[in-house]
Amino acid sequence: MTRLGIRRRFYCFLFHNPELRDELFATSYVVPQRILAGIRSTLFIYCLAVLISNLAVNVAHGAGWNWAAYFTTLTFFGITLYYGFASYTTIAYAWKQQKIRTDGAATLVDSESVSQSPPLSDIGEGYIKNSMPREIAQTQPPSLAHQVALASQWILYESFTCFAPLVSLIYWALLFPTQNDILDSGLDTWMGVSMHALNSVLMLCEVGVFAKTPYRYSHFWILFVFLALYLGLAYFMVGVYGFYVYPFFDSRYFGGYIALICLLIIDIIAVVWVIMLMVHRLRDGLYPRWLLKRQRTTVF
């Protein structure tokens, strides 16, 4: 594919994708707009505080050099990035909607001006523009940065709603029973619970309550790319530092079973992905019907 072809596909994905719009990424079925912006901003600050605290503790104990090699750390970093983009898009959309509500009434054509409007032949461009609601007359196309933020939020959402349950499952089922001493203080407990349990709770709350973001089966390859890159990072740490991030990557103990372990992880991710697809279809089917029923009950 030529460079021009790649640029065109990228441009079409950002600006001509019917699913890449604010309503699907910056609103919720049940949570009001301003409250959603406040929740996501608060969660972004909280996740950032956890991440910085974890880095500081690792540096203080001389383990800062391998801090970014753990899948747990990278997953929580991705969740933090997600909430960063989600906070920006939600606040920007809330501000945009507030501006429309505030300024729209002043530019609507009242009944008197409509009755005294000039003949069509005398209508000029200025009259048409001034007679239209401001949200229509002054509509500006979204910026490249804004569309990239939406696309990044979408990729992070689809990826880490799958990775977060995987981290929690592997940690509490396989790693924690052999490493009970790592939660020996209040700070360690807070960071451990936040990065290995709260991570899944946050992303499941996004799926069930906060988000309207779509899930697409054709995007599974993105998760596969992330997993392949992480596998490369894990064995980079082995080749450069002789350090195995997780014991099941150590060929001295697991030998040829490492390939089976990697395939098992991919299978678990695929199962979680299918479950998430089903949950999103159920969510996007039930919530609109519930809202419609609620509106009818309120009217009558």
Side-chain angles (χ1 to χ4, degrees):
M1 185 181 295
T2 64
R3 183 182 301 178
L4 181 60
I6 295 175
R7 291 178 61 183
R8 285 179 176 174
R9 289 175 64 89
F10 181 70
Y11 180 87
C12 290
F13 174 77
L14 292 181
F15 293 98
H16 297 283
N17 188 340
E19 294 184 328
L20 201 64
R21 62 183 193 274
D22 288 322
E23 291 81 1
L24 293 179
F25 297 89
T27 61
S28 169
Y29 286 113
V30 294
V31 181
Q33 187 70 39
R34 292 184 179 181
I35 296 178
L36 181 64
I39 290 174
R40 284 177 165 174
S41 300
T42 302
L43 291 176
F44 169 64
I45 295 172
Y46 176 83
C47 292
L48 191 62
V50 173
L51 206 62
I52 293 174
S53 300
N54 187 258
L55 175 60
V57 169
N58 277 272
V59 170
H61 288 81
W65 61 275
N66 64 352
W67 175 75
Y70 288 95
F71 193 76
T72 298
T73 303
L74 295 176
T75 297
F76 204 79
F77 179 73
I79 294 174
T80 305
L81 276 181
Y82 167 78
Y83 275 113
F85 285 116
S87 299
Y88 159 73
T89 57
T90 308
I91 292 173
Y93 187 67
W95 178 82
K96 176 183 175 182
Q97 294 299 105
Q98 180 61 32
K99 185 177 180 182
I100 289 175
R101 286 192 295 268
T102 302
D103 299 342
T107 58
L108 292 173
V109 183
D110 58 19
S111 58
E112 182 179 356
S113 63
V114 171
S115 62
Q116 297 178 359
S117 59
L120 291 176
S121 59
D122 297 333
I123 293 180
E125 180 181 353
Y127 178 84
I128 295 177
K129 184 175 181 180
N130 293 330
S131 301
M132 296 171 65
R134 184 172 301 181
E135 63 268 30
I136 298 176
Q138 297 184 354
T139 297
Q140 297 293 330
S143 65
L144 176 62
H146 184 78
Q147 293 303 105
V148 168
L150 289 179
S152 301
Q153 181 181 338
W154 195 1
I155 292 172
L156 292 169
Y157 175 85
E158 290 185 316
S159 301
F160 293 101
T161 49
C162 283
F163 291 155
L166 177 68
V167 167
S168 299
L169 176 64
I170 292 179
Y171 178 77
W172 295 108
L174 301 178
L175 301 178
F176 180 75
T178 62
Q179 300 178 2
N180 288 326
D181 58 327
I182 64 172
L183 302 180
D184 56 357
S185 69
L187 181 61
D188 289 335
T189 301
W190 170 63
M191 292 187 301
V193 172
S194 295
M195 299 182 71
H196 299 100
L198 190 60
N199 59 341
S200 296
V201 174
L202 291 178
M203 299 316 291
L204 291 177
C205 285
E206 280 289 320
V207 172
V209 181
F210 301 144
K212 291 168 65 175
T213 308
Y215 231 71
R216 293 295 171 261
Y217 69 90
S218 58
H219 292 177
F220 181 74
W221 66 271
I222 298 175
L223 274 71
F224 188 82
V225 169
F226 280 152
L227 292 174
L229 289 174
Y230 180 74
L231 187 63
L233 173 63
Y235 281 101
F236 171 82
M237 297 297 293
V238 174
V240 175
Y241 300 104
F243 172 73
Y244 288 92
V245 181
Y246 296 108
F248 49 78
F249 284 144
D250 194 340
S251 59
R252 295 172 298 179
Y253 301 102
F254 291 91
Y257 291 104
I258 295 178
L260 294 178
I261 293 174
C262 293
L263 289 176
L264 178 62
I265 292 174
I266 294 175
D267 290 339
I268 294 174
I269 286 291
V271 170
V272 175
W273 178 266
V274 172
I275 293 174
M276 284 295 175
L277 281 172
M278 297 171 63
V279 168
H280 279 74
R281 292 205 172 184
L282 185 65
R283 180 200 69 184
D284 295 337
L286 291 180
Y287 268 131
R289 277 183 271 180
W290 174 74
L291 291 174
L292 181 60
K293 183 178 179 180
R294 185 180 177 185
Q295 289 176 354
R296 289 176 178 174
T297 303
T298 303
V299 171
F300 295 103

